[in-house]
Amino acid sequence: HDWNSLLAVNHSLCDLTSEFYAPAELLVQYLEEVASNFHVVYNAKVVGSRRHNGRHVIHVHDGRQWTCQHLVIATGFEPEPLPPAQWTKHKDVFTYASFPDLDKSGRAAFCDDRDVIIIGNGNAAFETANMLAGCASAVHQVFRRPPRFSALTHYVGDVRMKSFEIADRYLLKSLDALLNIPQWSNGFPVMGMAQEFNAVIIFCGGFTGKA
């Protein structure tokens, strides 16, 4: 199965590579090639829309506007504010919106040789743990409920086994840690860990803010 190509176009990612897990750079190239066949407007922030004579009028930040008969809004979920937990008061807390860029070697000053605490039990949390394994001195992944694995639930949105590399580092090499904390206590355990290890906290609790 080709899970990466768009269904409504004749161009497939398989035209660019035969690798089972294609690199992210090829996905960018593929999407650029698909977009080249359409009229796509970039860097246009939509500031409002209205109805006029039975059509939608779309306004963007620089004064331009477009009209259409059918309008599809596919902007995704709006991330909620961080929950009112103790760990949010820590000095180094990053979220999806504020996560710093890594350099080409996979390192960054914010986590270089520091402990990192990742909050979350989904794919984003496990992928972040793998990404920072070569930068942080140790990765502690914490959650209130054990993760669900797609290989067992047959639901593609659950954690993929290929993302579960932290289990090897935890159980076989004693490098990182997986911590299930059912008694969340408003985040006090995480705050205590962060202060003890002078750790960076990264929130990967999804868009609900309830991890």
Side-chain angles (χ1 to χ4, degrees):
H1 298 285
D2 180 6
W3 289 84
N4 301 301
S5 299
L6 299 175
L7 300 179
V9 298
N10 294 323
H11 188 22
S12 167
L13 185 65
C14 296
D15 298 333
L16 303 179
T17 179
S18 60
E19 294 183 71
F20 190 70
Y21 293 113
E25 293 78 8
L26 280 183
L27 179 60
V28 174
Q29 178 184 341
Y30 166 71
L31 293 176
E32 288 177 344
E33 292 178 2
V34 170
S36 66
N37 296 313
F38 300 91
H39 177 58
V40 180
V41 179
Y42 297 95
N43 301 318
K45 181 180 180 181
V46 176
V47 295
S49 66
R50 59 185 174 88
R51 295 277 288 178
H52 180 68
N53 293 334
R55 294 177 64 84
H56 297 279
V57 181
I58 314 301
H59 300 271
V60 297
H61 69 288
D62 59 4
R64 290 178 295 171
Q65 63 182 38
W66 290 271
T67 63
C68 60
Q69 184 175 357
H70 302 289
L71 173 63
V72 177
I73 301 177
T75 53
F77 291 101
E78 176 70 20
E80 294 185 7
L82 288 175
Q86 284 295 317
W87 57 264
T88 61
K89 302 176 183 178
H90 188 58
K91 61 179 180 178
D92 293 320
V93 178
F94 298 103
T95 64
Y96 296 109
S98 62
F99 192 84
D101 293 330
L102 305 182
D103 61 25
K104 293 182 178 180
S105 66
R107 305 187 72 87
F110 81 96
C111 75
D112 203 5
D113 294 327
R114 292 183 64 186
D115 282 43
V116 172
I117 298 174
I118 297 175
I119 300 175
N121 66 348
N123 278 297
F126 284 97
E127 290 169 4
T128 302
N130 294 336
M131 179 176 63
L132 298 181
C135 174
S137 60
V139 176
H140 314 270
Q141 187 172 341
V142 299
F143 34 78
R144 294 188 299 175
R145 294 174 297 275
R148 295 179 301 184
F149 297 98
S150 59
L152 302 178
T153 64
H154 297 182
Y155 172 58
V156 297
D158 286 337
V159 177
R160 309 294 292 271
M161 296 303 294
K162 67 180 291 289
S163 301
F164 198 44
E165 296 176 7
I166 189 174
D168 281 356
R169 298 193 299 272
Y170 172 44
L171 298 171
L172 304 180
K173 300 179 181 179
S174 299
L175 294 175
D176 298 335
L178 286 168
L179 301 171
N180 182 24
I181 308 178
Q183 301 299 324
W184 195 242
S185 302
N186 198 33
F188 274 104
V190 175
M191 187 63 170
M193 290 174 54
Q195 292 174 339
E196 178 182 356
F197 298 110
N198 187 30
V200 177
I201 296 177
I202 299 175
F203 179 69
C204 297
F207 292 101
T208 63
K210 299 177 181 177

